[in-house]
Amino acid sequence: MIRNVVVGRLHPGADRSVLDRALRAIVALDPPGLLAVHVGTDAGLRAGNWDWALTLDFVDAEAYRAYDADPEHNRVRAELFAPSCSDIARVQFEVPDPPGPVSG
């Protein structure tokens, strides 16, 4: 499984309703191979955190690559996230299969 993690910082004074629309737009996408999606804004539990995050889990790297090239995904990135954010960081990593049941 491939996990895509994205975090972002808003420009000072950015319209948070645009961020809300952007996060809802990501959740509304339904690309092939998507297993799970989680989005949210920072809970404010620690100073200096970034403003928002999202994670998407895909069955494999090819499913992630198809999502990354998807025109609607790229429209959301360009029209909603990019103008509102001063910084966006991304990482994709492989999550190993969970271990099987422990036998005794």
Side-chain angles (χ1 to χ4, degrees), residues 26-90:
I26 291 294
V27 170
L29 297 173
D30 189 23
L34 179 67
L35 299 171
V37 59
H38 302 280
V39 303
T41 57
D42 183 57
L45 303 177
R46 184 172 179 178
N49 285 356
W50 288 41
D51 294 308
W52 59 268
L54 57 86
T55 64
L56 293 96
D57 293 341
F58 294 92
V59 294
D60 57 23
E62 290 308 310
Y64 167 76
R65 287 186 184 109
Y67 161 79
D68 193 46
D70 178 76
E72 179 61 10
H73 169 232
N74 284 301
R75 184 195 67 78
V76 170
R77 287 170 54 184
E79 293 179 12
L80 298 175
F81 284 104
S84 300
C85 295
S86 60
D87 296 294
I88 297 176
R90 297 173 187 83

